[in-house]
């Protein structure tokens, strides 16, 4: 199974990331929260699977890239000071998403840094780890 690839998904992911990156407050606002939830829902949206090894690899790459983008978004939220309890509550408003909850829990194991350079390094390391882990599965 792979996720559909269309411009609305890409736009939603980019919009969610931009909203969180522009945030200067420690508590999430409704618009940013909705973007994060929408992104999480997109990761779980099923689509028709193609057959064959190339198609399976493409589907896996697509899925892993989306998980990587979610990992980036969630780590940016972590570095901006969002509370874990608020994040998990928001991720689970509509339904339980164990894989996304696990990613969020892992993000809160990473220290919160004060300098932008260290924050960006934490974000990059985290999203790369999510992608590597996904591709290894």
């Amino acid at each position: 199974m792979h996720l559909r690839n269309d411009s609305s998904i890409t736009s939603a992911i980019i919009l969610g990331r931009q909203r969180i990156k522009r945030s200067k407050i420690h508590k999430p606002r409704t618009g940013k929260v909705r973007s994060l939830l929408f992104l999480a829902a997109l990761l779980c949206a099923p689509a028709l699977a193609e057959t064959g090894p190339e198609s399976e690899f493409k589907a896996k790459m697509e899925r892993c890239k989306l998980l990587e983008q979610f990992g980036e978004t969630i780590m940016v939220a972590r570095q901006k000071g969002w509370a874990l309890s608020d994040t998990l509550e928001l991720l689970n408003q509509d339904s339980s998403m164990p894989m996304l909850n696990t990613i969020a829990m892992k993000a809160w194991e990473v220290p919160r840094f004060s300098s932008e350079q260290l924050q960006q390094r934490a974000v990059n390391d985290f999203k790369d780890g999510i992608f590597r882990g996904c591709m290894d599965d």
Side-chain angles (χ1 to χ4, degrees):
M1 177 173 70
H2 74 282
L3 301 178
R4 63 180 182 199
N5 183 13
D6 61 27
S7 60
S8 64
I9 291 174
T10 304
S11 298
I13 291 169
I14 291 169
L15 180 62
R17 288 173 44 205
Q18 288 173 342
R19 285 182 176 168
I20 289 173
K21 286 181 180 180
R22 280 186 264 157
S23 172
K24 296 201 188 266
I25 60 170
H26 294 292
K27 190 168 182 174
R29 290 187 180 160
T30 305
K32 292 180 205 103
V33 169
R34 298 237 183 266
S35 296
L36 182 61
L37 288 174
F38 184 66
L39 174 61
L42 290 175
L43 293 171
C44 298
L48 297 174
E50 300 173 24
T51 58
E54 278 186 31
S55 297
E56 288 178 21
F57 180 77
K58 285 180 184 179
K60 186 174 190 173
M61 281 287 293
E62 192 174 316
R63 178 178 172 268
C64 292
K65 283 181 180 182
L66 286 173
L67 285 173
E68 175 189 49
Q69 290 175 342
F70 178 76
E72 179 181 17
T73 301
I74 206 76
M75 182 52 77
V76 167
R78 163 69 178 130
Q79 294 298 319
K80 293 254 182 220
W82 286 27
L84 175 58
S85 60
D86 291 341
T87 304
L88 292 175
E89 184 178 324
L90 296 169
L91 285 174
N92 291 287
Q93 277 183 346
D94 296 325
S95 64
S96 177
M97 298 177 236
M99 178 177 31
L100 301 181
N101 291 335
T102 300
I103 292 171
M105 295 292 289
K106 289 288 184 191
W108 264 258
E109 291 176 8
V110 175
R112 189 167 165 235
F113 297 102
S114 56
S115 78
E116 282 190 38
Q117 183 179 11
L118 291 176
Q119 288 177 348
Q120 190 59 51
R121 184 181 300 165
V123 169
N124 290 338
D125 289 349
F126 188 75
K127 75 177 189 171
D128 288 346
I130 295 295
F131 184 79
R132 277 191 320 268
C134 178
M135 290 301 291
D136 287 343
D137 284 344

